[in-house]
Amino acid sequence: MSRYWNKIVATLDPYTPGEQPRIQDLVKLNTNEHPYGPSPKVLAAIAAHTNDSLRLYPDPTAAVLRQAIAKRFTLKPEQVFVGNGSDEVLAHVFHALLKQEAPVWFPDITYSFYPVYCGLYQIAHRAIPLDAQFKIRVEDYLPNGAQGTAGGIIFPNPNAPTGCAHVLSDVERIVAANPDIVVVVDEAYVDFGAQTAASLIDQYPNLLVVHTLSKSRSLAGLRVGYALGHPDLIQGLDRVKNSFNSYPLDNLALAGATAAIEDEEYFEQSRQAVIRSRQALVQRLTALGFEVLPSAANFVFARHPAHTGESLATNLRARNILVRHFNKPRIADFLRITIGTDLQSEKLLNALGEILKK
Ligand SMILES: *Cc1c(COP(=O)(O)O)cnc(C)c1O
């Protein structure tokens, strides 16, 4: 606390990112990074732009990247917004599209950055409890009078940190029932097993779909995310972005991200590899007695009936294995475990086997 801080800074409760320790031989399964590297074409594109052209500012409109993203989703570039990671895209979404008179609605168990943005931008919110199976109940997101009206709705699909997916028809019901407000679907993990709502964008002017290159494209270190939606929504985001930082993506990020979006073949094989490893990990965790929520993401959310989440996480850490543990109501006994390489899974399972025997 400092007397030089303004009132808002003094009240902030910032997001705590998963640790990034630099420890040798660490089995790092705590921040949902992809276990394999990005496409070689991405590395080549970045290398090709590592030259004197770095003296120039990047294209503030990111035209080439937006064109590539639009093409992949059969949309127009005016329906695409890009930012410095989807966290930045989401920040602008809260500021430009969700800061309304009424509270924004999201699940009680969800991406913990959402309430942080609400604090930063002074937006009221209402946390809607997931059901006993940790699923979103569609009915809770339809205007029903009892809870008043929402100023906006946001949820991840698949949800984080549960990994549970919603079918597209459920997402569409929520979007269709709320034509007067923006409904944001945060699809950070969609490529690992859920259906994207991108196909609905031409139909619903209130739908915004947010993606990241950090997870399924193996580019967490490059910081690129994007939003897909009606040109009016994209223009709103552009107005905020151009009032904040005109150049959120540098030359290397633009080149690398464009190459990543265009390399469909590499994308397909690397996401399939993660899905296969997830299926194997779920089976073996279940055999160890874990309850594993159905996952459509590159992580699993699991608890053991005989051990607290806290003690499992601490014991894994002592063996140089990092997983994510949230000390929060309803989910304190769960571990969120990122899908790693086969070798990492083996180390994790061996360690868990020992810990459970003790
Ligand atoms: C990882 C994640 C993000 C942020 O991704 P970046 O593009 O790396 O900022 C956004 N939403 C959810 C649900 C995530 O899990």
Side-chain angles (χ1 to χ4, degrees), residues 16-333:
T16 316
E19 298 172 76
Q20 300 291 344
R22 304 288 174 222
I23 301 173
Q24 277 218 326
D25 296 325
L26 184 70
V27 178
K28 193 175 173 308
L29 305 173
N30 67 328
T31 51
N32 297 343
E33 289 133 334
H34 200 292
Y36 309 111
S39 155
K41 292 182 181 166
V42 169
L43 304 182
I46 292 172
H49 285 76
T50 306
N51 54 41
D52 280 353
S53 70
L54 282 174
R55 75 190 174 79
L56 299 173
Y57 280 106
D59 171 12
T61 70
V64 175
L65 174 59
R66 284 172 50 236
Q67 178 73 50
I69 295 168
K71 187 171 168 222
R72 178 164 195 274
F73 292 96
T74 333
L75 294 167
K76 296 192 271 306
E78 308 87 81
Q79 293 169 298
V80 180
F81 176 81
V82 297
N84 191 258
S86 63
D87 282 341
E88 185 188 80
V89 174
L90 289 168
H92 292 334
V93 168
F94 275 77
H95 206 176
L97 306 173
L98 299 180
K99 186 170 167 56
Q100 308 289 357
E101 279 66 45
V104 45
W105 292 4
F106 47 76
D108 64 337
I109 294 162
T110 194
Y111 188 35
S112 44
F113 224 135
Y114 302 157
V116 175
Y117 295 128
C118 287
L120 178 61
Y121 295 120
Q122 308 276 286
I123 302 168
H125 68 271
R126 179 177 156 238
I128 303 180
L130 299 179
D131 72 12
Q133 281 73 49
F134 298 96
K135 292 280 215 178
I136 283 180
R137 267 187 309 250
V138 174
E139 303 75 60
D140 293 342
Y141 294 83
L142 309 179
N144 55 23
Q147 298 291 344
T149 45
I153 292 173
I154 182 165
F155 56 88
N157 186 29
N159 196 14
T162 62
C164 301
H166 325 293
V167 294
L168 189 57
S169 55
D170 281 351
V171 173
E172 183 168 10
R173 271 175 73 201
I174 295 172
V175 175
N178 290 283
D180 297 331
I181 58 172
V182 176
V183 177
V184 183
V185 188
D186 179 354
E187 296 187 339
Y189 302 105
V190 75
D191 297 322
F192 299 108
Q195 298 166 282
T196 177
S199 57
L200 303 176
I201 279 168
D202 281 329
Q203 242 175 301
Y204 297 99
N206 62 322
L207 168 64
L208 194 79
V209 174
V210 179
H211 283 185
T212 174
L213 274 65
S214 297
K215 291 16 187 288
S216 59
R217 305 270 175 179
S218 277
L219 287 171
L222 203 64
R223 310 306 304 134
V224 184
Y226 58 93
L228 309 171
H230 190 279
D232 290 352
L233 301 185
I234 302 305
Q235 271 177 39
L237 293 172
D238 268 324
R239 290 172 72 92
V240 169
K241 172 232 158 197
N242 286 323
S243 308
F244 178 81
N245 176 5
S246 308
Y247 307 105
L249 294 185
D250 59 69
N251 287 333
L252 305 183
L254 290 172
T258 305
I261 296 290
E262 288 174 343
D263 195 348
E264 198 66 32
E265 194 183 326
Y266 187 89
F267 165 71
E268 196 52 38
Q269 73 171 44
S270 72
R271 85 186 174 97
Q272 293 298 349
V274 171
I275 293 171
R276 279 195 303 274
S277 301
R278 178 183 72 216
Q279 287 161 346
L281 183 66
V282 169
Q283 271 190 1
R284 298 198 39 201
L285 286 172
T286 308
L288 285 174
F290 279 90
E291 175 198 354
V292 187
L293 297 190
S295 171
N298 68 339
F299 58 85
V300 294
F301 205 50
R303 66 179 160 193
H304 197 279
H307 297 263
T308 65
E310 172 104 62
S311 79
L312 288 174
T314 309
N315 278 295
L316 284 171
R317 202 194 161 93
R319 290 166 167 78
N320 254 358
I321 300 174
L322 271 196
V323 299
R324 194 91 197 255
H325 171 247
F326 299 90
N327 205 357
K328 288 191 183 166
R330 297 187 74 187
I331 56 169
D333 277 335

